[in-house]
Amino acid sequence: MALDLQPLNLPGIDNRRPTVIAGPCSAETEAQVMTTATALHEAGYKIFRAGIWKPRTKPGGFEGNGITALPWLRRVHEELDMLTATEVATADHVRAALDYGVDILWIGARTAVDPFAVQSVADALRGEDIPVLVKNPVNPEIDLWQGALERVNLAGIKRLGAIHRGFSYYERNIYRNLPMWHIPVELKKREPGLPVFCDPSHIGGKRDLIAPLCQHAMDLGMDGLIVESHCDPDSAWSDAAQQVTPATLKSIVDQLDIVNLSDLG
Ligand code: PEP
Ligand code: MN
């Protein structure tokens, strides 16, 4: 089934590559959210990400602040005029995020593997006009990724995008999640109008890999980047090794070699 798509059409965002979504893995405290968002805003970024509900592999880790953190995202939107984005994994998450005016939602890699979970998120989105991004499922099955996108699309969401965050692999590797670039390339072939974002943070798992992964994604023609950025990465409550400061992010993005088709005349 071909997806029935409309452009993401994000207010204040032009269509030059890359569209950058940046912010911490998790919204930890109101001060951390506002400090990070202010620095990203000053660096010129316009879309702020932060996890509110964090899927953790093992119990006992930081599982997110839940709805307590939603007013912090609303402050980012109102005071800094940034768009906000967060992960939703259940229908309750969707309703809470919509109530607080979150601008963009994404479905995480652990949710995208489960058609029942994706369907319940899709059902909660029915009738809404909000951009939704779907991460690849943790296992390398393009049909499962495409199926998750279709479920959301069939619920009436046309402003849809995909996030490539790499795939679990059983052997040790330099990557936290194997990129398997051919999979997002194939997805783009199947759905040419679908914007694809690269998430170098969850592919690489460490700071040093962010720049080369961003460049590779741009070389493959991907549309955007979603990068974890924290005001004090070493003290992050989740995914500390892969987060970069807003200043580092700016220097990585500014050094990317990007050919925009519109520049070719
Ligand atoms: C995240 O974006 O912080 C996250 C949990 O990502 P993923 O679903 O790709 O593991
Ligand atoms: Mn993370």
Side-chain angles (χ1 to χ4, degrees):
M1 185 196 93
L3 298 171
D4 180 9
L5 298 170
Q6 281 171 2
L8 283 179
N9 199 17
L10 304 170
I13 312 294
D14 63 28
N15 57 8
R16 293 175 66 79
R17 294 195 304 144
T19 298
V20 177
I21 303 173
C25 179
S26 305
E28 299 164 4
T29 64
E30 187 165 9
Q32 169 253 8
V33 164
M34 293 312 297
T35 305
T36 306
T38 301
L40 288 166
H41 177 253
E42 281 166 5
Y45 297 111
K46 295 176 177 153
I47 313 177
F48 181 76
R49 65 147 282 158
I52 301 291
W53 298 281
K54 299 304 300 178
R56 309 309 303 180
T57 303
K58 292 186 180 161
F62 176 56
E63 299 197 328
N65 281 303
I67 53 175
T68 309
L70 283 167
W72 310 341
L73 290 194
R74 193 162 58 188
R75 264 192 81 189
V76 170
H77 180 108
E78 285 173 358
E79 293 177 24
L80 299 171
D81 197 25
M82 294 175 87
L83 300 176
T84 57
T86 201
E87 173 177 346
V88 287
T90 69
D92 283 349
H93 294 170
V94 172
R95 284 187 285 269
L98 292 171
D99 280 352
Y100 280 86
V102 176
D103 300 288
I104 300 168
L105 304 177
W106 82 79
I107 293 178
R110 288 163 193 76
T111 305
V113 287
D114 177 354
F116 292 121
V118 173
Q119 191 60 54
S120 73
V121 167
D123 289 341
L125 286 164
R126 204 173 291 277
E128 304 294 337
D129 178 20
I130 184 167
V132 176
L133 308 175
V134 180
K135 287 200 172 196
N136 66 256
V138 283
N139 48 322
E141 281 187 49
I142 188 168
D143 291 338
L144 197 52
W145 195 3
Q146 202 177 9
L149 286 156
E150 284 174 8
R151 284 179 195 280
V152 176
N153 196 219
L154 285 169
I157 300 294
K158 297 186 178 181
R159 296 160 71 200
L160 203 54
I163 300 173
H164 168 230
R165 52 77 78 198
F167 302 89
S168 293
Y169 196 61
Y170 59 93
E171 277 173 11
R172 275 184 72 82
N173 193 277
I174 60 159
Y175 299 109
R176 179 176 176 193
N177 291 289
L178 267 196
M180 298 184 170
W181 297 101
H182 60 285
I183 296 180
V185 167
E186 169 66 18
L187 184 69
K188 193 84 178 169
K189 242 187 238 165
R190 291 187 190 185
E191 299 289 351
L194 180 72
V196 179
F197 289 72
C198 179
D199 174 345
S201 312
H202 291 89
I203 295 174
K206 40 185 141 4
R207 276 164 221 158
D208 292 355
L209 292 176
I210 305 292
L213 287 165
C214 288
Q215 184 62 55
H216 200 81
M218 291 300 101
D219 293 346
L220 290 175
M222 290 196 190
D223 303 274
L225 300 168
I226 175 165
V227 187
E228 287 188 340
S229 179
H230 191 292
C231 54
D232 182 6
D234 285 330
S235 60
W237 297 3
S238 58
D239 287 350
Q242 69 195 33
Q243 303 208 55
V244 293
T245 62
T248 301
L249 174 66
K250 181 168 166 47
S251 102
I252 290 171
V253 174
D254 287 353
Q255 287 179 60
L256 291 173
D257 194 2
I258 293 161
V259 178
N260 273 292
L261 289 180
S262 54
D263 295 340
L264 299 176

